[in-house]
Amino acid sequence: MHKSAIHYVLMVIALIAVFSFCINRDIEIEKGYTVDLRNRVIGARLQSDGKPPYFYKWKPQDGLRYYDPVQNDTTFANNITASPFFHHLLYPIANLPQRKISRIWLAFQYIMLISCIAIAFLLTNTIVQRWACIITLTSFLFTEGWISLLEEGQLYLLIPFCCFIILVCILQKKSFYIFLAGLFAAILILSRPTTCLIFLPLPGLLKKKAIGLLTIFLIPICILSAYSILNTKERCFWIDYYHAISSHIKLHQAPASAITGKYKPVEYHNWEGWDIDSIRKAKVPVTHYETSNVPAIVSNIFHIIVPSKILEIIFAIIIVALLTFFYKNHSFTQNADIKIVAIFGFCIYMIADFLSPIPRAEYYKVQWLFPLLLISANYNSQLRSVYLFILAGLLLDAFYIPFLPMRHTIGEFIMLSAFLWLCITKEPKLAK
C-alpha cells in the first residue's frame, strides 16, 4: 500500500473512533436539557407572533408556548439575548415541540462542525497539514467549551461555520461566490453584530480592482440590513434588542441590592416532550466553568467594576495600535494573504469579546475553531513554536488541571497572543 494511502486510512480510523465516542457522549449531554436553546425558541415564537421578546415576562396563564423552566430575576431583562435576525433563522423549527427542536439543533451543530473540517481539508495541500487538522479537531471535541456548547444548546458554532463559508467563497474570486460570501457575512453580522469587527482590516488592504467585488460582497449585507431598518416591526425588535443588551450590561455591573428577587419560578414536571425525571438521569459530564472576560477577572481579583465606557476606550486604543502594526507590515504591494487578514480580523473580534462587560461563558471558546483549523490547514514547519503555543492553549481547555487556576482563560490568552504574533510580524507566514 502506498505511504499516503496508509495515512488516509489512519485518518479515517481516527475520525470514526473519535466521532463514535463523542456523538454517543453528546447525545447523552443533550438529554440533560439544552437550557439556552429554550430562550432562543421562545424569542422566535414571540417574534413570529408579533410580540416584543426581550422584555416579555411569562405568566402561568400564557401557557407552555412561552414557558421557560429557567426563570431568573427579570428586574432588568429576561433570558432572551439572541438577535431578532437569529430568531428568524429558527422560524422553520420554532413551532415544533422543544424536545424535537433540541435533537435537531444537536444534529445541526454536527453538520456545522463537519462542514468546518471539510472546508479545512479542502484548503490543505500536504499530509502533514491534514494530520494537523485531525489533531486540532479531535482535541477540540474534548474541550469543555464544546461540551458546554452542547449542554446549553448555544449558537456560537455558527460563527466559525459562517467564517469558513465566507473565506472559501472569497478565495474563488468570482462574482457569484463573492455574493454568497456577502450573504453569509450578513447572516453572521445580523446574528451577532460584534462580528462586523472581523471585517475591519479588509478595506485598508483592498486594491482598486477589488472595489467591484467589494460592492458585490456588500449587496446582500445592505439588503438584509435595510430590511431590518426600514420594516417598522423589525426596527422595533432591533431597538428592543439594543435596550435589552444595555439592560444586561447594567445587570452584570449592578450591586446585588439592585436585584429585586421578586420573580417566583414555576416548574412543570412535563412539557413539550421534556420530563424532569429523565433530565435528572442524564449522564452529563461535570463542566468546570470560568468567566474569561477581563472585567470579570478584575472584579473577581480586585473587586472593582470596570465601567463599560472605560472598556470601550481600552478597546479602541488596542485596536488602533494593532491595525497600525498590521498595515505597516501588510501594504497594498505585498498583497496580504487573505487567510492572515481573516485570522487578524477574528482576533480583533475576540479582543472585543474579552473586553465585554457581559461575562464570557465556556461555550464562547468554540469560536476559536475557525482560526485553529485555518492555521492547521496551512501548517508551516517554520512556525513550530507558534503551533506549539496554540496547541498548548487548546489542550488547557481539554484537560482538567485543578492546581492551575483559570487554565481556560490562560489557554485562550496564549492562543490569542500566538495568533496576533503570526498576523503582525512580517515573516514567516502560513504555507500557501
Side-chain angles (χ1 to χ4, degrees):
M1 186 181 290
H2 196 272
K3 188 176 181 180
S4 61
I6 295 174
H7 279 285
Y8 289 125
V9 169
L10 291 174
M11 287 179 194
V12 171
I13 292 172
L15 285 174
I16 291 173
V18 171
F19 271 88
S20 297
F21 173 83
C22 290
I23 288 173
N24 284 324
R25 178 201 64 191
D26 297 344
I27 288 172
E28 195 65 30
I29 290 173
E30 184 272 337
K31 292 177 183 178
Y33 180 60
T34 45
V35 178
D36 287 338
L37 180 60
R38 178 59 180 175
N39 67 62
R40 275 99 174 105
V41 171
I42 294 170
R45 289 178 179 178
L46 286 165
Q47 198 169 292
S48 66
D49 294 343
K51 300 177 181 180
Y54 298 103
F55 294 93
Y56 166 79
K57 295 185 180 182
W58 181 82
K59 300 177 290 297
Q61 55 265 35
D62 293 342
L64 292 176
R65 179 168 174 77
Y66 308 133
Y67 168 71
D68 188 347
V70 180
Q71 301 155 45
N72 295 330
D73 187 288
T74 55
T75 303
F76 291 84
N78 58 31
N79 290 338
I80 300 170
T81 55
S83 74
F85 181 82
F86 184 79
H87 291 156
H88 281 295
L89 298 180
L90 289 178
Y91 278 9
I93 62 172
N95 291 317
L96 296 173
Q98 184 70 31
R99 189 70 193 86
K100 184 174 289 187
I101 293 172
S102 184
R103 293 191 181 108
I104 292 171
W105 190 247
L106 174 62
F108 186 60
Q109 300 276 43
Y110 264 94
I111 289 170
M112 290 193 290
L113 179 73
I114 292 169
S115 299
C116 289
I117 186 64
I119 293 172
F121 260 76
L122 288 174
L123 297 174
T124 62
N125 292 309
T126 68
I127 293 293
V128 173
Q129 291 170 345
R130 287 164 196 144
W131 269 118
C133 289
I134 297 290
I135 293 168
T136 298
L137 180 70
T138 52
S139 300
F140 177 82
L141 285 170
F142 290 94
T143 62
E144 298 203 39
W146 170 255
I147 292 170
S148 175
L149 177 88
L150 300 180
E151 187 179 353
E152 303 292 331
Q154 266 290 349
L155 58 86
Y156 287 89
L157 193 61
L158 181 68
I159 293 167
F161 170 73
C162 285
C163 286
F164 267 115
I165 298 292
I166 294 164
L167 177 63
V168 79
C169 287
I170 289 176
L171 289 172
Q172 305 306 310
K173 299 179 182 179
K174 295 181 180 179
S175 297
F176 170 76
Y177 290 105
I178 296 299
F179 181 86
L180 192 61
L183 178 60
F184 274 89
I187 293 171
L188 179 65
I189 293 168
L190 292 173
S191 295
R192 186 163 171 78
T194 53
T195 55
C196 67
L197 294 167
I198 294 173
F199 306 96
L200 189 60
L202 192 59
L205 295 167
L206 288 174
K207 296 182 178 181
K208 288 183 179 179
K209 65 180 182 181
I211 299 301
L213 293 177
L214 177 62
T215 302
I216 296 171
F217 178 81
L218 291 173
I219 288 172
I221 299 174
C222 292
I223 290 173
L224 289 176
S225 299
Y227 172 72
S228 298
I229 295 169
L230 299 177
N231 183 285
T232 304
K233 187 175 288 186
E234 287 296 312
R235 185 169 66 251
C236 289
F237 288 147
W238 277 99
I239 290 171
D240 269 4
Y241 174 69
Y242 171 78
H243 290 310
I245 296 301
S246 298
S247 295
H248 280 283
I249 292 172
K250 291 178 183 177
L251 170 65
H252 291 293
Q253 294 196 326
S257 59
I259 312 299
T260 63
K262 292 180 180 179
Y263 201 89
K264 295 180 180 179
V266 177
E267 184 179 277
Y268 293 108
H269 194 82
N270 298 284
W271 54 279
E272 292 195 26
W274 284 104
D275 177 81
I276 295 298
D277 290 335
S278 63
I279 290 172
R280 289 169 180 166
K281 290 177 183 177
K283 299 175 182 177
V284 180
V286 176
T287 307
H288 305 90
Y289 285 91
E290 289 181 21
T291 50
S292 55
N293 57 320
V294 172
I297 295 170
V298 171
S299 177
N300 291 335
I301 296 175
F302 302 105
H303 308 290
I304 298 172
I305 302 297
V306 182
S308 57
K309 292 295 181 184
I310 298 297
L311 294 172
E312 291 170 8
I313 292 170
I314 293 171
F315 175 72
I317 293 170
I318 291 173
I319 297 313
V320 168
L322 288 175
L323 285 171
T324 300
F325 282 112
F326 186 71
Y327 286 142
K328 182 179 178 181
N329 293 329
H330 298 277
S331 64
F332 292 100
T333 55
Q334 287 177 306
N335 192 23
D337 184 352
I338 189 64
K339 296 166 189 174
I340 291 293
V341 177
I343 292 173
F344 182 64
F346 198 87
C347 287
I348 291 176
Y349 161 67
M350 292 303 287
I351 290 170
D353 237 24
F354 282 122
L355 291 172
S356 170
I358 296 176
R360 295 177 76 251
E362 286 295 321
Y363 45 74
Y364 280 69
K365 297 173 178 62
V366 301
Q367 298 173 107
W368 287 112
L369 183 64
F370 172 64
L372 284 169
L373 280 179
L374 185 55
I375 67 156
S376 299
N378 295 270
Y379 176 79
N380 184 345
S381 59
Q382 297 180 54
L383 295 167
R384 285 195 185 93
S385 57
V386 176
Y387 282 91
L388 285 173
F389 275 108
I390 292 171
L391 181 61
L394 178 60
L395 293 178
L396 280 171
D397 193 40
F399 293 101
Y400 178 52
I401 309 172
F403 62 84
L404 183 62
M406 299 192 302
R407 72 185 191 284
H408 298 166
T409 304
I410 293 169
E412 283 197 273
F413 279 116
I414 289 173
M415 288 192 293
L416 176 63
S417 301
F419 283 128
L420 285 174
W421 183 92
L422 174 68
C423 294
I424 291 174
T425 54
K426 290 184 178 181
E427 296 293 343
K429 292 300 179 188
L430 297 178
K432 298 286 186 178

